[in-house]
Amino acid sequence: GAVVSQHPSWVICKSGTSVKIECRSLDFQATTMFWYRQFPKQSLMLMATSNEGSKATYEQGVEKDKFLINHASLTLSTLTVTSAHPEDSSFYICSARENPPYNEQFFGPGTRLTVL
Amino acid sequence: AQSVAQPEDQVNVAEGNPLTVKCTYSVSGNPYLFWYVQYPNRGLQFLLKYITGDNLVKGSYGFEAEFNKSQTSFHLKKPSALVSDSALYFCAVRDFTRSGNTGKLIFGQGTTLQVKP
């Protein structure tokens, strides 16, 4: 299957700083990418749908100004956690959806964010 | 609204025994169903999917799933469990309820599979 990478795989930051997480589709183009958040031993919660060349679509309850998403190319989406606080500590997973006609969705390995 | 339920938080089986991880769904229209596996601190790995066709779907690592329309179920199965199968398993359905659907997946709560030697 296709490969999706995330960088960094883990990050520790101080409260109040901003952290950028990258999601890349390595061998396919993805107009659409998704950002998920996962708490320990829980399911994935969709945060937003990232669309290349347009604004992201956020799920209800997700703060747009807190979690900035930029999908500047067909292979890269970034999630920036602004003014991070300890409650933002979580495992963030992205997925990339192949462009038609395949439409398969592939997941990145995740990024562990710890805010001190 | 489309939804997926995994009624068991944890399933315990002995190595070599058959395993079943349960999933039921609620959708309007024909379901697109998926199973993923997640190992600790890792992303999700695709196991198999049902779109149309045969009700028995074969996937990666010897797993298979049976689509049952009358029972709205899509249980994951494997004839002989391995200790290395121990992981967190997610059932998911593709959401087609929104206009301009982008292929958003709705996940179940997850089931931890523990295979003991």
Side-chain angles (χ1 to χ4, degrees), chain B residues 26-109:
Chain B
S26 175
V27 303
S28 54
N30 295 321
Y32 284 23
L33 295 160
F34 303 81
W35 274 103
Y36 291 88
V37 60
Q38 184 181 32
Y39 294 95
N41 296 310
R42 303 289 295 276
L44 272 63
Q45 295 179 34
F46 170 80
L47 284 178
L48 51 81
K49 67 179 178 183
Y50 172 83
I51 303 297
T52 186
D54 290 341
N55 290 340
L56 184 63
V57 180
K58 293 189 182 297
S60 306
Y61 313 119
F63 283 94
E64 58 188 30
E66 186 170 8
F67 172 67
N68 188 317
K69 188 173 184 178
S70 62
Q71 296 185 6
T72 62
S73 67
F74 189 56
H75 300 332
L76 181 70
K77 300 181 180 183
K78 187 173 182 180
S80 178
L82 300 173
V83 173
S84 58
D85 292 330
S86 299
L88 183 58
Y89 290 79
F90 289 102
C91 183
V93 64
R94 184 167 288 175
D95 182 11
F96 284 108
T97 55
R98 295 185 178 183
S99 60
N101 163 61
T102 57
K104 166 184 166 181
L105 291 176
I106 298 171
F107 286 90
Q109 308 92 308

Coordinates of all heavy atoms in Angstrom, one line a residue, chain B residues 26-109:
Chain B
S26 N -24.6 0.9 11.5 CA -25.8 1.5 11.2 C -25.6 2.5 10.2 O -24.9 3.5 10.4 CB -26.5 2.1 12.5 OG -27.6 2.8 12.2
V27 N -26.1 2.3 9.0 CA -25.9 3.2 7.9 C -27.2 3.4 7.1 O -28.1 2.5 7.1 CB -24.8 2.8 6.9 CG1 -23.5 2.6 7.7 CG2 -25.2 1.5 6.2
S28 N -27.3 4.4 6.3 CA -28.3 4.6 5.3 C -27.7 4.3 4.0 O -26.7 4.8 3.6 CB -28.9 6.0 5.3 OG -27.8 6.9 5.2
G29 N -28.2 3.3 3.3 CA -27.6 2.9 2.0 C -26.6 1.8 2.2 O -26.6 1.1 3.3
N30 N -25.9 1.5 1.2 CA -24.9 0.4 1.2 C -23.7 0.8 2.0 O -23.1 1.9 1.8 CB -24.5 0.0 -0.2 CG -25.7 -0.6 -0.9 OD1 -26.5 -1.3 -0.4 ND2 -25.8 -0.2 -2.2
P31 N -23.2 0.0 2.9 CA -22.1 0.3 3.8 C -20.7 0.0 3.1 O -20.6 -1.0 2.4 CB -22.2 -0.5 5.0 CG -22.9 -1.8 4.4 CD -23.8 -1.3 3.3
Y32 N -19.8 0.9 3.3 CA -18.4 0.6 3.0 C -17.7 0.4 4.3 O -17.6 1.4 5.1 CB -17.7 1.8 2.3 CG -18.1 2.0 0.8 CD1 -19.2 1.5 0.3 CD2 -17.2 2.7 0.0 CE1 -19.6 1.7 -1.0 CE2 -17.5 2.9 -1.4 CZ -18.7 2.4 -1.9 OH -19.0 2.5 -3.2
L33 N -17.2 -0.8 4.6 CA -16.7 -1.2 5.9 C -15.3 -1.5 5.9 O -14.8 -2.1 4.9 CB -17.6 -2.3 6.5 CG -19.0 -2.1 6.7 CD1 -19.8 -3.3 6.7 CD2 -19.2 -1.3 8.0
F34 N -14.6 -1.2 7.0 CA -13.1 -1.4 7.1 C -12.7 -1.9 8.4 O -13.4 -1.7 9.4 CB -12.4 -0.1 6.9 CG -12.7 0.7 5.6 CD1 -13.9 1.4 5.5 CD2 -11.9 0.6 4.5 CE1 -14.2 2.1 4.3 CE2 -12.2 1.2 3.3 CZ -13.3 2.0 3.2
W35 N -11.6 -2.7 8.5 CA -11.0 -3.0 9.7 C -9.5 -2.5 9.6 O -8.8 -2.7 8.6 CB -11.0 -4.5 9.9 CG -12.2 -5.1 10.6 CD1 -13.3 -5.7 10.0 CD2 -12.5 -5.0 12.0 NE1 -14.2 -6.0 10.9 CE2 -13.8 -5.6 12.1 CE3 -11.9 -4.5 13.1 CZ2 -14.4 -5.8 13.4 CZ3 -12.5 -4.6 14.3 CH2 -13.7 -5.2 14.5
Y36 N -9.1 -1.9 10.8 CA -7.7 -1.5 10.9 C -7.2 -2.1 12.2 O -7.9 -2.3 13.2 CB -7.7 0.0 11.0 CG -8.0 0.7 9.7 CD1 -9.3 1.1 9.4 CD2 -7.0 1.1 8.8 CE1 -9.6 1.8 8.2 CE2 -7.3 1.7 7.6 CZ -8.6 2.1 7.4 OH -8.9 2.7 6.2
V37 N -5.9 -2.2 12.3 CA -5.2 -2.6 13.5 C -4.2 -1.6 13.9 O -3.6 -0.9 13.0 CB -4.5 -4.0 13.3 CG1 -3.4 -3.9 12.2 CG2 -3.9 -4.5 14.6
Q38 N -4.0 -1.4 15.2 CA -3.1 -0.4 15.7 C -2.2 -1.0 16.8 O -2.8 -1.5 17.8 CB -3.8 0.8 16.3 CG -2.9 1.9 16.7 CD -3.6 3.1 17.3 OE1 -4.7 3.0 17.9 NE2 -3.1 4.3 17.1
Y39 N -0.9 -1.0 16.6 CA 0.0 -1.4 17.6 C 0.4 -0.2 18.5 O 0.3 0.9 18.0 CB 1.2 -2.1 17.0 CG 0.9 -3.4 16.3 CD1 0.6 -3.4 14.9 CD2 0.7 -4.5 17.0 CE1 0.2 -4.6 14.3 CE2 0.3 -5.7 16.4 CZ 0.1 -5.7 15.0 OH -0.3 -6.9 14.4
P40 N 0.9 -0.4 19.7 CA 1.2 0.7 20.6 C 2.0 1.8 20.0 O 3.0 1.5 19.4 CB 1.9 0.0 21.8 CG 1.3 -1.4 21.8 CD 1.1 -1.7 20.3
N41 N 1.5 3.0 20.1 CA 2.3 4.2 19.7 C 2.5 4.2 18.2 O 3.5 4.7 17.7 CB 3.6 4.4 20.4 CG 3.3 4.7 21.9 OD1 2.6 5.5 22.2 ND2 4.0 3.9 22.7
R42 N 1.6 3.5 17.4 CA 1.7 3.5 16.0 C 0.4 4.0 15.3 O -0.6 4.0 16.0 CB 2.0 2.1 15.5 CG 3.3 1.4 16.1 CD 4.5 2.1 15.6 NE 4.7 1.8 14.2 CZ 5.2 0.7 13.7 NH1 5.7 -0.3 14.5 NH2 5.4 0.5 12.4
G43 N 0.5 4.3 14.1 CA -0.7 4.6 13.3 C -1.5 3.4 13.0 O -1.2 2.3 13.5
L44 N -2.5 3.6 12.2 CA -3.4 2.4 11.9 C -2.9 1.7 10.6 O -2.5 2.4 9.7 CB -4.8 3.0 11.6 CG -5.7 3.0 12.8 CD1 -5.2 4.0 13.8 CD2 -7.2 3.4 12.4
Q45 N -3.0 0.4 10.7 CA -2.7 -0.4 9.5 C -4.0 -1.0 8.9 O -4.8 -1.6 9.7 CB -1.7 -1.5 9.9 CG -0.4 -1.0 10.3 CD 0.5 -2.2 10.7 OE1 0.5 -3.3 10.1 NE2 1.4 -2.0 11.6
F46 N -4.2 -0.9 7.6 CA -5.3 -1.4 7.0 C -5.3 -3.0 7.0 O -4.3 -3.6 6.7 CB -5.4 -0.9 5.6 CG -6.4 -1.5 4.7 CD1 -7.7 -1.1 4.7 CD2 -6.0 -2.5 3.7 CE1 -8.7 -1.7 3.9 CE2 -7.0 -3.1 2.9 CZ -8.3 -2.7 3.0
L47 N -6.4 -3.6 7.3 CA -6.5 -5.1 7.3 C -7.3 -5.5 6.1 O -6.9 -6.4 5.4 CB -7.1 -5.6 8.6 CG -6.2 -5.6 9.8 CD1 -7.0 -6.2 11.0 CD2 -5.0 -6.5 9.6
L48 N -8.5 -5.0 6.0 CA -9.4 -5.4 4.9 C -10.6 -4.4 4.8 O -10.8 -3.6 5.7 CB -9.9 -6.8 5.2 CG -10.5 -7.2 6.5 CD1 -12.0 -6.7 6.7 CD2 -10.4 -8.7 6.8
K49 N -11.4 -4.6 3.7 CA -12.5 -3.8 3.5 C -13.6 -4.5 2.8 O -13.3 -5.5 2.1 CB -12.2 -2.5 2.7 CG -11.7 -2.9 1.3 CD -11.4 -1.6 0.5 CE -10.9 -2.0 -0.9 NZ -10.5 -0.8 -1.7
Y50 N -14.8 -4.1 3.0 CA -16.0 -4.6 2.2 C -16.6 -3.4 1.5 O -17.0 -2.4 2.1 CB -17.0 -5.3 3.1 CG -18.3 -5.6 2.4 CD1 -18.3 -6.8 1.6 CD2 -19.4 -4.8 2.3 CE1 -19.5 -7.1 0.9 CE2 -20.5 -5.1 1.6 CZ -20.5 -6.2 0.9 OH -21.7 -6.5 0.1
I51 N -16.7 -3.5 0.2 CA -17.4 -2.5 -0.6 C -18.6 -3.1 -1.2 O -19.8 -2.7 -1.1 CB -16.5 -1.9 -1.7 CG1 -15.2 -1.4 -1.1 CG2 -17.2 -0.9 -2.5 CD1 -15.4 -0.2 -0.2
T52 N -18.4 -4.2 -1.9 CA -19.5 -5.0 -2.6 C -18.9 -6.4 -2.9 O -17.8 -6.6 -2.8 CB -20.0 -4.2 -3.8 OG1 -21.1 -4.9 -4.4 CG2 -18.9 -4.2 -4.9
G53 N -19.8 -7.3 -3.3 CA -19.4 -8.6 -3.8 C -19.5 -9.6 -2.7 O -20.5 -9.6 -1.9
D54 N -18.6 -10.5 -2.6 CA -18.6 -11.7 -1.7 C -18.7 -11.2 -0.2 O -18.0 -10.2 0.2 CB -17.4 -12.6 -1.8 CG -17.4 -13.3 -3.1 OD1 -18.5 -13.4 -3.7 OD2 -16.4 -13.8 -3.5
N55 N -19.5 -11.8 0.5 CA -19.7 -11.4 1.9 C -18.5 -11.8 2.8 O -18.3 -11.1 3.8 CB -21.0 -12.1 2.5 CG -22.2 -11.5 1.9 OD1 -22.3 -10.4 1.4 ND2 -23.3 -12.3 2.1
L56 N -17.7 -12.7 2.4 CA -16.5 -13.1 3.1 C -15.3 -12.4 2.5 O -15.0 -12.6 1.3 CB -16.3 -14.6 3.1 CG -15.1 -15.1 4.0 CD1 -15.3 -14.7 5.4 CD2 -14.9 -16.6 3.8
V57 N -14.7 -11.5 3.2 CA -13.6 -10.7 2.7 C -12.3 -11.2 3.4 O -12.2 -11.3 4.6 CB -13.8 -9.2 3.1 CG1 -12.6 -8.4 2.5 CG2 -15.1 -8.7 2.5
K58 N -11.3 -11.5 2.6 CA -10.0 -11.9 3.1 C -9.1 -10.7 3.1 O -9.0 -9.9 2.1 CB -9.5 -13.0 2.3 CG -10.3 -14.3 2.5 CD -9.6 -15.5 1.8 CE -10.5 -16.8 2.0 NZ -10.7 -17.1 3.4
G59 N -8.3 -10.6 4.1 CA -7.4 -9.5 4.2 C -6.0 -9.9 4.6 O -5.5 -11.0 4.4
S60 N -5.3 -8.9 5.2 CA -3.8 -9.1 5.6 C -3.7 -10.0 6.8 O -4.6 -10.1 7.6 CB -3.2 -7.8 5.8 OG -3.4 -6.8 4.8
Y61 N -2.5 -10.6 6.9 CA -2.1 -11.4 8.1 C -3.0 -12.5 8.4 O -3.1 -12.9 9.6 CB -1.9 -10.5 9.3 CG -1.1 -9.2 9.0 CD1 -1.7 -8.0 9.1 CD2 0.2 -9.3 8.5 CE1 -1.0 -6.8 8.8 CE2 0.9 -8.1 8.2 CZ 0.3 -6.9 8.4 OH 1.0 -5.8 8.1
G62 N -3.8 -13.1 7.4 CA -4.7 -14.2 7.7 C -6.0 -13.8 8.2 O -6.8 -14.7 8.6
F63 N -6.3 -12.5 8.4 CA -7.6 -12.1 8.8 C -8.7 -12.1 7.7 O -8.3 -12.0 6.6 CB -7.5 -10.7 9.4 CG -6.9 -10.6 10.8 CD1 -5.5 -10.4 10.9 CD2 -7.6 -10.8 11.9 CE1 -4.9 -10.3 12.1 CE2 -7.0 -10.8 13.2 CZ -5.7 -10.5 13.3
E64 N -9.9 -12.3 8.2 CA -11.0 -12.2 7.3 C -12.2 -11.6 8.0 O -12.2 -11.6 9.3 CB -11.4 -13.6 6.7 CG -11.7 -14.6 7.8 CD -11.8 -16.0 7.2 OE1 -11.2 -16.3 6.1 OE2 -12.6 -16.8 7.7
A65 N -13.2 -11.2 7.3 CA -14.4 -10.6 7.9 C -15.6 -11.0 7.1 O -15.5 -11.1 5.9 CB -14.3 -9.1 8.0
E66 N -16.7 -11.2 7.8 CA -17.9 -11.6 7.1 C -18.9 -10.5 7.2 O -19.3 -10.1 8.3 CB -18.5 -12.9 7.8 CG -19.7 -13.4 7.0 CD -20.1 -14.8 7.5 OE1 -19.5 -15.3 8.5 OE2 -20.9 -15.4 6.9
F67 N -19.4 -10.1 6.1 CA -20.4 -9.0 6.0 C -21.8 -9.7 6.1 O -22.1 -10.7 5.3 CB -20.3 -8.3 4.7 CG -21.5 -7.3 4.5 CD1 -21.6 -6.2 5.3 CD2 -22.4 -7.6 3.4 CE1 -22.7 -5.3 5.0 CE2 -23.4 -6.7 3.2 CZ -23.6 -5.6 4.0
N68 N -22.6 -9.3 7.1 CA -23.9 -9.9 7.2 C -24.9 -8.8 7.2 O -25.1 -8.0 8.2 CB -24.0 -10.7 8.6 CG -25.3 -11.5 8.7 OD1 -26.4 -11.0 8.4 ND2 -25.2 -12.7 9.1
K69 N -25.6 -8.7 6.1 CA -26.5 -7.5 6.0 C -27.7 -7.6 6.9 O -28.2 -6.6 7.5 CB -27.0 -7.4 4.5 CG -27.8 -6.2 4.2 CD -28.1 -6.1 2.7 CE -28.8 -4.8 2.4 NZ -29.1 -4.6 1.0
S70 N -28.3 -8.8 7.1 CA -29.5 -9.0 7.9 C -29.2 -8.7 9.4 O -30.0 -8.1 10.1 CB -30.0 -10.4 7.8 OG -29.1 -11.3 8.2
Q71 N -27.9 -9.0 9.8 CA -27.6 -8.7 11.2 C -26.8 -7.4 11.3 O -26.3 -7.0 12.4 CB -26.7 -9.9 11.8 CG -27.5 -11.1 11.8 CD -26.8 -12.3 12.5 OE1 -25.7 -12.0 13.0 NE2 -27.3 -13.5 12.5
T72 N -26.6 -6.7 10.2 CA -25.8 -5.4 10.2 C -24.5 -5.6 10.9 O -24.1 -4.8 11.8 CB -26.6 -4.2 10.7 OG1 -26.9 -4.4 12.1 CG2 -27.8 -4.0 9.9
S73 N -23.8 -6.7 10.6 CA -22.5 -7.0 11.3 C -21.4 -7.2 10.3 O -21.6 -7.5 9.1 CB -22.7 -8.2 12.2 OG -22.8 -9.4 11.4
F74 N -20.2 -7.0 10.8 CA -19.0 -7.1 10.0 C -17.9 -7.6 11.0 O -16.9 -6.9 11.2 CB -18.6 -5.8 9.3 CG -17.5 -5.9 8.3 CD1 -17.6 -6.8 7.2 CD2 -16.4 -5.1 8.4 CE1 -16.6 -6.9 6.3 CE2 -15.4 -5.2 7.4 CZ -15.5 -6.1 6.4
H75 N -18.0 -8.8 11.5 CA -17.1 -9.4 12.5 C -15.8 -9.8 11.8 O -15.7 -10.4 10.8 CB -17.7 -10.6 13.2 CG -19.0 -10.3 13.9 ND1 -19.3 -9.0 14.4 CD2 -20.1 -11.1 14.1 CE1 -20.5 -9.0 14.9 NE2 -21.0 -10.3 14.8
L76 N -14.7 -9.5 12.5 CA -13.3 -9.8 12.1 C -13.0 -11.2 12.7 O -13.2 -11.4 13.9 CB -12.4 -8.8 12.6 CG -10.9 -9.0 12.2 CD1 -10.7 -8.7 10.8 CD2 -10.0 -8.0 13.1
K77 N -12.4 -12.0 11.9 CA -12.1 -13.4 12.3 C -10.7 -13.8 11.8 O -10.2 -13.3 10.9 CB -13.1 -14.4 11.8 CG -14.5 -14.1 12.2 CD -15.5 -15.1 11.7 CE -16.9 -14.8 12.2 NZ -17.9 -15.8 11.7
K78 N -10.2 -14.8 12.6 CA -8.9 -15.4 12.2 C -9.0 -16.9 12.7 O -9.3 -17.1 13.9 CB -7.7 -14.7 12.7 CG -6.4 -15.2 12.2 CD -5.2 -14.4 12.6 CE -3.9 -14.9 12.0 NZ -2.8 -14.1 12.4
P79 N -8.7 -17.9 11.9 CA -8.8 -19.3 12.3 C -7.9 -19.6 13.5 O -8.2 -20.5 14.3 CB -8.5 -20.0 11.0 CG -8.7 -19.1 9.9 CD -8.3 -17.7 10.5
S80 N -6.7 -19.1 13.5 CA -5.7 -19.5 14.5 C -4.9 -18.2 14.9 O -4.1 -17.7 14.2 CB -4.7 -20.5 13.9 OG -3.8 -20.9 14.8
A81 N -5.2 -17.8 16.2 CA -4.5 -16.6 16.7 C -3.1 -16.7 17.0 O -2.6 -17.8 17.4 CB -5.3 -16.1 17.9
L82 N -2.3 -15.6 16.8 CA -0.9 -15.6 17.2 C -0.7 -14.6 18.3 O -1.5 -13.6 18.3 CB -0.1 -15.2 15.9 CG -0.1 -16.1 14.7 CD1 0.6 -15.4 13.6 CD2 0.5 -17.4 15.0
V83 N 0.3 -14.8 19.1 CA 0.6 -13.8 20.1 C 0.8 -12.4 19.5 O 0.4 -11.4 20.1 CB 1.8 -14.2 21.0 CG1 2.2 -13.1 21.9 CG2 1.5 -15.5 21.7
S84 N 1.4 -12.4 18.3 CA 1.7 -11.1 17.7 C 0.5 -10.4 17.1 O 0.6 -9.3 16.7 CB 2.7 -11.4 16.5 OG 2.2 -12.3 15.6
D85 N -0.7 -11.1 17.2 CA -1.9 -10.4 16.8 C -2.4 -9.5 17.9 O -3.4 -8.7 17.6 CB -3.0 -11.5 16.5 CG -2.7 -12.3 15.2 OD1 -2.0 -11.7 14.3 OD2 -3.1 -13.4 15.2
S86 N -1.8 -9.6 19.1 CA -2.3 -8.7 20.2 C -2.1 -7.3 19.8 O -1.0 -6.8 19.5 CB -1.5 -9.1 21.4 OG -1.7 -10.4 21.8
A87 N -3.2 -6.5 19.8 CA -3.2 -5.1 19.4 C -4.6 -4.6 19.6 O -5.5 -5.2 20.1 CB -2.8 -5.0 17.9
L88 N -4.8 -3.3 19.1 CA -6.0 -2.6 19.2 C -6.7 -2.7 17.8 O -6.0 -2.3 16.8 CB -5.8 -1.2 19.7 CG -7.1 -0.3 19.9 CD1 -8.0 -0.9 20.9 CD2 -6.6 1.1 20.4
Y89 N -7.9 -3.1 17.7 CA -8.6 -3.3 16.4 C -9.7 -2.3 16.3 O -10.5 -2.2 17.2 CB -9.0 -4.7 16.2 CG -7.9 -5.7 16.0 CD1 -7.1 -6.1 17.1 CD2 -7.5 -6.1 14.8 CE1 -6.1 -7.0 17.0 CE2 -6.4 -6.9 14.6 CZ -5.7 -7.4 15.7 OH -4.6 -8.2 15.5
F90 N -9.8 -1.6 15.1 CA -10.9 -0.7 14.9 C -11.7 -1.1 13.7 O -11.1 -1.4 12.6 CB -10.3 0.7 14.7 CG -9.8 1.4 15.9 CD1 -8.4 1.4 16.1 CD2 -10.6 1.9 16.8 CE1 -7.8 2.0 17.2 CE2 -10.0 2.6 17.9 CZ -8.7 2.6 18.1
C91 N -13.0 -1.0 13.8 CA -13.9 -1.2 12.7 C -14.3 0.2 12.3 O -14.4 1.1 13.1 CB -15.1 -2.0 13.2 SG -16.4 -2.3 11.9
A92 N -14.5 0.5 11.0 CA -14.9 1.8 10.5 C -15.8 1.7 9.4 O -15.9 0.7 8.6 CB -13.6 2.6 10.1
V93 N -16.6 2.7 9.2 CA -17.5 2.8 8.1 C -17.3 4.2 7.4 O -17.0 5.2 8.0 CB -19.0 2.7 8.5 CG1 -19.4 3.8 9.4 CG2 -19.9 2.6 7.3
R94 N -17.4 4.2 6.1 CA -17.2 5.5 5.4 C -18.5 6.3 5.4 O -19.6 5.7 5.2 CB -16.8 5.2 3.9 CG -16.5 6.5 3.1 CD -15.8 6.2 1.8 NE -14.5 5.7 2.0 CZ -13.7 5.3 1.0 NH1 -14.1 5.2 -0.2 NH2 -12.4 4.9 1.3
D95 N -18.4 7.6 5.7 CA -19.5 8.4 5.9 C -19.9 9.0 4.6 O -19.2 9.8 4.0 CB -19.1 9.5 6.9 CG -20.3 10.5 7.2 OD1 -21.4 10.2 6.8 OD2 -20.1 11.5 7.8
F96 N -21.1 8.7 4.1 CA -21.6 9.3 2.9 C -22.8 10.2 3.1 O -23.5 10.5 2.2 CB -22.1 8.1 2.0 CG -21.0 7.4 1.3 CD1 -20.7 6.1 1.7 CD2 -20.2 8.0 0.3 CE1 -19.6 5.4 1.1 CE2 -19.2 7.3 -0.3 CZ -18.9 6.0 0.1
T97 N -23.0 10.6 4.4 CA -24.2 11.4 4.7 C -24.1 12.9 4.3 O -25.1 13.5 4.2 CB -24.5 11.3 6.1 OG1 -23.4 11.7 6.9 CG2 -24.9 9.9 6.5
R98 N -22.8 13.3 4.1 CA -22.7 14.8 3.8 C -22.6 15.0 2.3 O -22.0 14.1 1.6 CB -21.4 15.3 4.4 CG -21.5 15.3 5.9 CD -20.3 16.0 6.5 NE -20.3 16.0 8.0 CZ -19.4 16.6 8.7 NH1 -18.4 17.2 8.1 NH2 -19.5 16.6 10.0
S99 N -23.1 16.1 1.9 CA -22.9 16.4 0.4 C -21.5 16.8 0.2 O -20.8 17.2 1.1 CB -23.8 17.6 0.1 OG -23.4 18.7 0.9
G100 N -21.0 16.4 -1.0 CA -19.6 16.6 -1.3 C -18.7 15.7 -0.4 O -17.7 16.1 0.1
N101 N -19.2 14.5 -0.2 CA -18.4 13.5 0.6 C -17.0 13.5 0.3 O -16.6 13.4 -0.9 CB -19.1 12.2 0.5 CG -18.2 11.1 1.0 OD1 -17.9 11.0 2.1 ND2 -17.8 10.2 0.0
T102 N -16.1 13.5 1.3 CA -14.7 13.4 1.1 C -14.1 12.1 1.6 O -12.9 11.9 1.6 CB -14.0 14.5 1.9 OG1 -14.3 14.4 3.3 CG2 -14.4 15.9 1.4
G103 N -15.0 11.1 1.9 CA -14.5 9.8 2.4 C -14.1 9.7 3.8 O -13.4 8.9 4.3
K104 N -14.7 10.6 4.6 CA -14.5 10.6 6.1 C -14.9 9.2 6.6 O -15.9 8.6 6.3 CB -15.4 11.7 6.7 CG -15.5 11.6 8.2 CD -16.5 12.7 8.6 CE -17.0 12.5 10.0 NZ -17.9 13.6 10.4
L105 N -14.0 8.7 7.6 CA -14.3 7.4 8.2 C -14.8 7.7 9.6 O -14.4 8.5 10.3 CB -13.0 6.6 8.3 CG -12.5 6.1 7.0 CD1 -11.1 5.3 7.2 CD2 -13.4 5.1 6.3
I106 N -15.8 6.8 10.0 CA -16.3 6.9 11.3 C -15.9 5.6 12.0 O -16.1 4.5 11.5 CB -17.9 6.9 11.3 CG1 -18.3 8.2 10.7 CG2 -18.4 6.8 12.7 CD1 -19.8 8.3 10.4
F107 N -15.2 5.7 13.1 CA -14.6 4.6 13.8 C -15.4 4.1 15.0 O -16.1 4.9 15.7 CB -13.2 5.0 14.3 CG -12.1 5.1 13.2 CD1 -11.9 6.3 12.6 CD2 -11.4 4.0 12.8 CE1 -11.0 6.4 11.6 CE2 -10.5 4.1 11.8 CZ -10.3 5.3 11.2
G108 N -15.3 2.8 15.2 CA -15.8 2.2 16.4 C -14.9 2.5 17.6 O -13.9 3.2 17.4
Q109 N -15.3 2.1 18.8 CA -14.6 2.4 20.0 C -13.2 1.7 20.1 O -12.4 2.1 20.9 CB -15.4 2.1 21.2 CG -16.8 2.7 21.2 CD -17.8 1.8 20.6 OE1 -17.7 1.2 19.5 NE2 -18.9 1.6 21.3

